[in-house]
Amino acid sequence: MENSIFIKTLKGEKTERPPVWFMRQAGRVLPSYMKMRAKYSFRELMSSPKLAAKVTLLPIDDLGVDAAILFSDILVIPEALGMGLDFTDTGPRFSNPLKNMADPLSSLKAASSKLTYIYNVIDEIQYTKPIDIPLIGFCGAPFTTFCYMVQGLGTNHIFPDAVAMLYKNRELAEQILEEITQLSIEYALNQVEHGIAAFQLFETHAGLIPSSFYFELIMPFVRRILVAVMEAGCPVIFLPKGLGAGIKHITPTDTSFLSIDWQTPLEEAREMVHPSIGLQGNIDPRLLLADQNTIQNTLEKYVAFGSENQNWIFNVGHGFIPSIPFENAKFVVDWVKQTNWERKT
Ligand code: CP3
């Protein structure tokens, strides 16, 4: 793994270019994935060690990215807490969202064994992956997981009942967040035990509430997960999408790297965030819908940043969307690899 540019960057070593990978790089834009998906359901693909390992590694061969991310989903935690979950053609669906229950807490019971199949997936990836390709593990952050659990499926991703619960029944909300956090810590540490090289915590819906409220109510839960993983010796990447200027309150004891959303200019993020925290991001995934000249012109603006900042991982500011042409995703990876980043070594 000494030759992994991704690992070197995580360790703060100098490299001649930024490492590149993409959020949702496996399950959205690859023709090879679509072919497998035509044969198997998402559930089959994520549950079978052989199939999940194969899908996890597709972007390494097809796109040439520098890291693989476990092929799974953040909703495995609600499922392991006892919630019925279906991955339908229109997205994930919970059979009984917590908002419909008189006593939601009594319905939640952590069953760690329901996550065991994922450790088998990780083992299979470790056996089959190229030696210098690191595997990123992940989990949903407590608030995002809570949003899906309470609401069921997001109504345009605004989760009104989940947010309402924070204000109307804070004690219950905190108890649910506690259940999520405890199981997430165990899940994350097991992933570390099975050899992941880095761990990303996805707080996709941080922007649903004021950042001051996020820090007061949610961040203490988030910190427990991030700190547990860092203390186990694994670097962490925290993605608090929509937190805005709130990112300036994140400290080096909270996270190793911070994933910046496409709303926040990378240079501004760099000024706001403590210099020893590395950054990841933040191209707008929808830029990849444009023609390749337009894409390249926008990417060129990142060269100055990349030349000055070694502790930066090239990525999107939010996950790939399915309408992105595969050729454009490949074009971006090739561009990152071919560009002269003018780094002082
Ligand atoms: O490259 C990859 O696909 C990596 C694996 C991965 C998936 N989900 C697979 C998936 C990862 C890292 C996730 C994270 C995830 N899941 C997040 C956080 C990241 C983000 O994009 O904000 C969230 C919010 C979810 C919840 C979720 N899972 C939703 C809202 C949906 C439906 C819409 C969609 O397609 O994303 C899913 C299903 C899901 N997760 C699919 C895949 C490949 C599609 C399943 C299918 O093929 O039908």
Side-chain angles (χ1 to χ4, degrees):
M1 203 71 96
E2 309 89 67
N3 292 323
S4 157
I5 194 167
F6 179 80
I7 298 291
K8 282 185 181 164
T9 299
L10 285 178
K11 285 186 178 161
E13 291 171 20
K14 295 199 161 154
T15 55
E16 60 184 39
R17 63 166 176 87
V20 51
W21 72 280
F22 301 112
M23 293 186 257
R24 318 299 292 269
Q25 63 189 11
R28 283 191 170 167
V29 307
L30 304 181
S32 55
Y33 174 77
M34 300 309 168
K35 261 201 201 147
M36 289 184 72
R37 186 64 181 80
K39 247 171 99 182
Y40 303 100
S41 68
F42 175 64
R43 177 72 81 177
E44 286 171 312
L45 288 179
M46 71 180 283
S47 317
S48 144
K50 287 252 171 329
L51 292 174
K54 191 164 174 202
V55 175
T56 299
L57 297 173
L58 290 175
I60 306 300
D61 288 338
D62 295 1
L63 290 172
V65 289
D66 296 310
I69 182 161
L70 170 67
F71 190 72
S72 186
D73 197 80
I74 65 165
L75 302 178
V76 299
I77 289 290
E79 187 166 55
L81 284 170
M83 294 187 71
L85 171 66
D86 236 359
F87 287 99
T88 70
D89 285 344
T90 53
R93 216 161 277 283
F94 287 106
S95 52
N96 200 2
L98 300 184
K99 70 175 165 131
N100 298 335
M101 292 183 189
D103 183 9
L105 209 57
S106 70
S107 75
L108 300 178
K109 248 173 214 63
S112 309
S113 61
K114 288 195 184 160
L115 297 166
T116 308
Y117 73 97
I118 302 173
Y119 312 134
N120 297 335
V121 169
I122 295 177
D123 290 346
E124 181 66 22
I125 299 167
Q126 306 288 14
Y127 290 135
T128 50
K129 75 177 181 59
I131 193 146
D132 282 326
I133 292 297
L135 175 66
I136 304 168
F138 74 94
C139 179
F143 179 55
T144 296
T145 309
F146 170 92
C147 284
Y148 286 101
M149 286 169 65
V150 173
Q151 200 74 43
L153 193 68
T155 321
N156 294 327
H157 293 284
I158 56 170
F159 302 92
D161 300 282
V163 174
M165 191 193 282
L166 301 183
Y167 288 105
K168 287 166 73 175
N169 198 344
R170 179 160 168 168
E171 199 186 327
L172 174 62
E174 287 189 287
Q175 286 168 323
I176 296 170
L177 288 161
E178 179 63 33
E179 292 292 327
I180 295 168
T181 302
Q182 284 181 17
L183 189 59
S184 299
I185 292 171
E186 184 188 328
Y187 178 48
L189 291 178
N190 278 324
Q191 292 186 34
V192 175
E193 189 94 340
H194 286 259
I196 58 164
F199 176 82
Q200 177 152 323
L201 196 66
F202 283 94
E203 191 71 289
T204 304
H205 302 304
L208 289 178
I209 56 174
S211 65
S212 54
F213 194 32
Y214 187 86
F215 276 93
E216 177 197 324
L217 176 60
I218 308 293
M219 201 57 194
F221 293 103
V222 168
R223 277 195 187 103
R224 282 162 56 195
I225 304 172
L226 294 173
V227 168
V229 176
M230 286 190 288
E231 280 179 354
C234 181
V236 297
I237 305 170
F238 178 44
L239 171 129
K241 185 165 182 292
L243 197 59
I247 57 173
K248 64 173 175 256
H249 301 297
I250 291 170
T251 70
T253 49
D254 294 333
T255 194
S256 333
F257 271 66
L258 192 62
S259 201
I260 305 300
D261 56 36
W262 48 261
Q263 287 94 336
T264 311
L266 211 45
E267 294 79 5
E268 287 180 29
R270 190 62 287 172
E271 279 169 29
M272 282 191 274
V273 176
H274 191 287
S276 70
I277 300 177
L279 299 186
Q280 174 176 271
N282 73 341
I283 58 171
D284 184 346
R286 293 157 303 181
L287 170 67
L288 277 72
L289 300 173
D291 62 85
Q292 293 185 353
N293 270 335
T294 307
I295 296 175
Q296 176 153 353
N297 287 338
T298 306
L299 294 181
E300 302 285 356
K301 297 179 189 138
Y302 280 81
V303 176
F305 184 85
S307 157
E308 293 299 317
N309 294 280
Q310 294 262 351
N311 57 350
W312 170 51
I313 299 164
F314 189 100
N315 205 321
V316 274
H318 191 205
F320 270 175
I321 48 176
S323 49
I324 290 173
F326 165 74
E327 295 71 29
N328 288 357
K330 178 89 178 83
F331 176 80
V332 174
V333 176
D334 291 344
W335 179 85
V336 172
K337 290 183 168 176
Q338 285 157 16
T339 292
N340 176 3
W341 289 89
E342 295 166 24
R343 290 185 159 180
K344 298 163 210 83
T345 43

